[in-house]
């Protein structure tokens, strides 16, 4: 069936637009104010069409590097964090000024992964974003680089933007970059590389297995982000931020960039949190039969399908469910790793004899499980 691109895009009411440093810097390694003004104009035009826009803007480190006259030398993590602290206020001032020309108020929102992992903070962030949107404000989100360590980092703003899209129930995620979209091969050394206009759920799995399209020139993280968004029911467009009026063209349904089509049966909010925001404490390795029952037939995990557990976790922790070395689902464990060591491989009727008690038949209940790949 032909995908109704125009219809889907015309219906977009709320969108997250991610701007990478490459788009905000133009040809020189510093913030390009004219680009920020142009993008603010585009956002203003979208707002007149009653569309709500949330920006995820990189550029803090870029702006800090310029202010501190650090040149283009490689930076340690600490120097990057310091540069981000200097640059974030400059970045925000630039956005404030650019939006003021359009009579739009902008708001700074800085997040770490930890903020989305903890359910209470996740809900708080969500409520604040909704309030800002109700007030007609454009939230400008960035990672809180100053406090981000590897443990709590999003990795990059592509992932952050996909999580934010899920967080605020966006209808569309747009990743603006310095490329026209996803290519069948790296266009820099393959003259025959062609732009992929559309990627459906099935096609994404095939493409992910190939090194070319998903693994070159910063596209790997965009691909991952688009897949994450698709899992939460949100379509993604990867497009070239240097093209004039690109956001309007995307929303007018023009065949620009690469459109990743959202999963037809997306995960619900709770499962989205489990799948993408929560932090698994350990792994439960299951046999192929259990994987099929869980992923294919939406069954709960019982002790009989468990081969082994790794890392230590408590009942109530989020765990990864792994088969053949591949994580295919996440869920809330009803048993600790210690208990599972004693009951793995057993029938549910044998749990009580082995432990002396039985909190539940299921090790992970289907209601507390998010399947990542079928
Ligand atoms: N948070 C970083 C910055 O603002 C950018 C991270 C990224 O673009 O992936 O400079």
């Amino acid at each position: 069936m032909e995908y109704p691109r125009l219809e889907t895009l015309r219906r977009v009411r709320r969108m997250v637009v991610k701007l990478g440093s490459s788009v905000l810097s133009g040809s020189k390694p510093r913030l390009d104010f004219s680009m920020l003004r142009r993008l603010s104009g585009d956002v203003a035009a979208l707002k007149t069409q009653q569309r709500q826009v949330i920006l995820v803007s990189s550029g803090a480190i870029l702006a800090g590097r310029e202010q501190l006259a650090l040149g283009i030398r490689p930076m340690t993590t600490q120097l990057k964090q310091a540069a981000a602290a200097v640059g974030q206020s400059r970045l925000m001032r630039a956005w404030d000024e650019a939006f003021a020309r359009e009579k739009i108020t902008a708001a700074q929102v800085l997040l770490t992964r930890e903020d989305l992992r903890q359910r209470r903070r996740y809900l708080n962030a969500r409520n604040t974003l909704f309030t800002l949107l109700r007030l007609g404000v454009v939230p400008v989100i960035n990672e809180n680089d100053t406090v981000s360590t590897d443990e709590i980092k999003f990795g990059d703003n592509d992932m952050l933007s996909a999580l934010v899209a899920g967080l605020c129930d966006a209808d569309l995620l747009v990743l603006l970059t310095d490329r026209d979209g996803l290519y069948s091969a790296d266009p820099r050394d393959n003259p025959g590389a062609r732009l992929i206009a559309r990627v459906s759920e099935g096609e994404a799995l095939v493409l992910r297995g190939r090194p070319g399209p998903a693994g070159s020139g910063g596209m790997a993280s965009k691909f991952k982000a688009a897949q994450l968004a698709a899992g939460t029911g949100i379509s993604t467009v990867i497009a070239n931020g240097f093209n004039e009026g690109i956001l309007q063209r995307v929303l007018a349904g023009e065949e620009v960039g690469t459109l990743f089509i959202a999963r037809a049966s997306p995960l619900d909010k709770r499962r989205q949190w489990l799948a993408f925001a929560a932090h698994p404490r350990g792994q439960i390795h299951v046999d192929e039969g259990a994987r099929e029952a869980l992923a294919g037939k939406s069954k709960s995990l019982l002790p009989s399908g468990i081969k082994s557990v790794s890392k230590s976790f408590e009942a109530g922790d989020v765990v990864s469910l792994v088969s053949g070395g591949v994580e295919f689902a996440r869920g809330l464990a009803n048993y600790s790793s210690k208990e599972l060591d004693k009951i793995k491989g057993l029938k549910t009727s044998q749990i009580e004899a082995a432990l002396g008690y039985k909190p539940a038949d299921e090790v992970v209940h289907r209601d507390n499980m998010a399947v990542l790949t079928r």
Side-chain angles (χ1 to χ4, degrees):
M1 191 187 80
E2 186 52 19
Y3 182 74
R5 181 173 185 133
L6 177 60
E7 258 322 292
T8 305
L9 294 167
R10 229 193 343 230
R11 275 201 299 263
V12 169
R13 289 273 74 94
R14 181 176 300 155
M15 56 197 284
V16 172
V17 179
K18 186 258 172 177
L19 308 155
S21 297
S22 63
V23 173
L24 298 177
S25 63
S27 53
K28 300 214 178 64
R30 59 178 154 81
L31 271 190
D32 177 355
F33 292 89
S34 63
M35 189 56 136
L36 269 71
R37 282 197 289 271
R38 204 183 88 194
L39 290 163
S40 305
D42 287 352
V43 170
L46 293 173
K47 277 173 69 73
T48 61
Q49 300 170 352
Q50 312 310 319
R51 308 204 210 234
Q52 295 176 330
V53 185
I54 293 153
L55 295 186
V56 172
S57 172
S58 304
I61 297 174
L62 178 77
R65 191 193 269 279
E66 187 194 353
Q67 173 77 10
L68 296 168
L70 294 174
I72 52 164
R73 69 178 151 118
M75 294 196 278
T76 59
T77 304
Q78 268 153 21
L79 198 50
K80 278 189 199 158
Q81 289 180 304
V86 170
Q88 180 62 32
S89 61
R90 285 171 60 86
L91 175 66
M92 217 44 231
R93 191 165 71 232
W95 278 120
D96 266 341
E97 283 170 13
F99 276 119
R101 293 162 63 99
E102 309 293 339
K103 305 205 170 12
I104 291 174
T105 301
Q108 168 181 271
V109 179
L110 298 177
L111 294 173
T112 65
R113 207 180 169 103
E114 204 58 25
D115 299 323
L116 303 190
R117 261 182 210 154
Q118 291 187 18
R119 192 128 182 95
R120 203 160 56 105
R121 290 203 208 173
Y122 175 94
L123 292 173
N124 266 336
R126 185 173 151 85
N127 286 336
T128 306
L129 286 173
F130 287 161
T131 307
L132 289 168
L133 291 173
R134 256 200 316 278
L135 293 167
V137 170
V138 174
V140 180
I141 302 179
N142 197 358
E143 176 150 17
N144 193 353
D145 289 313
T146 321
V147 300
S148 276
T149 56
D150 282 344
E151 249 293 283
I152 59 164
K153 245 187 176 19
F154 289 104
D156 54 62
N157 279 359
D158 293 324
M159 281 320 262
L160 170 63
S161 63
L163 286 163
V164 164
L167 175 75
C168 65
D169 300 338
D171 309 304
L172 183 72
L173 169 64
V174 181
L175 301 174
L176 290 184
T177 167
D178 56 356
R179 302 269 200 102
D180 287 338
L182 186 70
Y183 279 87
S184 57
D186 193 333
R188 287 171 301 192
D189 38 50
N190 271 295
R194 88 199 142 72
L195 183 70
I196 301 172
R198 209 168 44 205
V199 180
S200 65
E201 192 186 346
E203 287 158 352
L205 286 178
V206 179
L207 285 172
R208 195 174 53 176
R210 284 200 238 141
S216 59
M219 274 298 158
S221 69
K222 291 185 179 48
F223 193 87
K224 242 172 93 184
Q227 278 212 290
L228 194 161
T232 59
I234 300 165
S235 296
T236 299
V237 175
I238 302 177
N240 195 330
F242 290 104
N243 289 348
E244 201 85 30
I246 187 68
L247 293 176
Q248 279 85 341
R249 292 178 61 197
V250 164
L251 289 165
E254 274 187 44
E255 289 268 338
V256 284
T258 302
L259 171 68
F260 283 76
I261 300 165
R263 193 153 128 178
S265 50
L267 302 170
D268 58 37
K269 273 271 159 294
R270 189 178 152 71
R271 287 190 170 86
Q272 284 177 28
W273 174 80
L274 268 175
F276 305 123
H279 183 54
R281 296 268 163 229
Q283 289 97 31
I284 300 179
H285 302 266
V286 306
D287 59 30
E288 185 49 30
R291 196 197 70 83
E292 257 179 54
L294 270 53
K297 301 189 194 117
S298 307
K299 299 267 196 243
S300 298
L301 175 65
L302 302 176
S304 55
I306 299 177
K307 295 208 298 196
S308 62
V309 288
S310 43
K311 299 227 183 99
S312 94
F313 52 86
E314 295 303 320
D317 280 346
V318 176
V319 291
S320 294
L321 304 182
V322 180
S323 163
V326 179
E327 181 191 39
F328 68 95
R330 284 184 187 176
L332 291 177
N334 287 331
Y335 289 89
S336 70
S337 50
K338 277 207 189 92
E339 291 167 329
L340 288 180
D341 262 333
K342 292 185 195 143
I343 63 167
K344 63 183 182 223
L346 300 185
K347 295 201 174 71
T348 47
S349 59
Q350 299 172 304
I351 297 177
E352 191 150 6
L355 287 181
Y357 54 90
K358 183 172 79 168
D361 278 352
E362 306 84 9
V363 174
V364 177
H365 194 277
R366 50 187 282 186
D367 291 346
N368 292 327
M369 191 189 307
V371 174
L372 307 174
T373 51
R374 300 216 173 262

